[in-house]
Structures are given as structure tokens and as C-alpha cells.
Amino acid sequence: GFEIQQRLRVVGDRFRTEIDRFAHEEGYPATATGVGSMFWMHARHGPVNDVRDARQGHPAASAGLRLLYRKNGLHISSHHGFLCTAHTDEDITQLIEIHKAAMRELRAQGIW
């Protein structure tokens, strides 16, 4: 019930906040979006308020993020990801680190 929804909101907020903060502090043109347990990182500066905004992202960076996520164990669809109640705080930390590593790899390869 309510406790489950609250837990999903808390972990989703943590994930989005941490990856968004990392992107902004490190100077990546990227913005995290989502609600509740849903998330996505758009390869563009925000805000992202609608589909038109989302489609203005960097196509190579978007594709690169998806490939690097999958390569490193973060398996999500091409347009959004979801966290679930099975994810522990340690899992969330690991997913955040996978995300940061993907962004760093894209920068190292000259995409960002």
C-alpha cells in the first residue's frame, strides 16, 4: 500500500537527484527526469517538459548511455527505467555509479 509507494518515491527521488547533481556539477549537458520510481537521463540541458524537449537531446550521447548502461548491468528500456521494491539502498548506489561511469566513458570517448 502506501508504504510501498512511499519507498518507491524515496528511491526514485534519490536516484534522480544524485545523477542530476552529478551531471550538473561535472558540466554534462544532461538532465534527469521522472516521477515516483520512474527515471530517465536526457542528453541535454534542462528543463525537459515535453516530448519536443526530450527529442532535442544529443543522439549519440543518448545511444551511448543506453549501451553503456546495459553493458554494465543497468538494463532499462530505451526511454525510461523503473526502480522496484527489490532494489536495496546498495543496489541504488550501484546503479548511480553505473550511470556516472557511463557518462564519464562518453566524455572520455569525445562524445560529450
Side-chain angles (χ1 to χ4, degrees):
F2 178 75
E3 295 83 18
I4 291 172
Q5 291 175 347
Q6 186 174 5
R7 165 81 177 139
L8 290 172
R9 182 184 51 74
V10 167
V11 297
D13 286 349
R14 175 185 170 211
F15 186 84
R16 285 186 302 275
T17 298
E18 289 195 32
I19 64 176
D20 199 50
R21 181 183 315 123
F22 172 79
H24 293 285
E25 287 176 355
E26 298 293 322
Y28 290 97
T31 302
T33 62
V35 64
S37 66
M38 186 173 71
F39 66 90
W40 190 249
M41 176 57 79
H42 298 273
R44 60 160 283 157
H45 287 294
V48 178
N49 295 314
D50 54 35
V51 174
R52 184 176 296 134
D53 291 344
R55 289 185 178 156
Q56 293 177 1
H58 188 294
S62 294
L65 285 173
R66 288 192 305 270
L67 289 170
L68 289 167
Y69 291 159
R70 183 155 294 148
K71 177 184 173 203
N72 293 301
L74 177 54
H75 299 279
I76 57 179
S77 77
S78 60
H79 298 292
H80 56 272
F82 291 93
L83 302 169
C84 71
T85 56
H87 289 115
T88 65
D89 289 337
E90 293 78 21
D91 292 332
I92 303 301
T93 298
Q94 181 180 6
L95 295 174
I96 290 166
E97 292 307 313
I98 288 170
H99 176 80
K100 290 177 180 180
M103 294 183 78
R104 288 183 185 116
E105 179 66 19
L106 290 180
R107 180 170 276 168
Q109 295 300 320
I111 292 174
W112 262 336

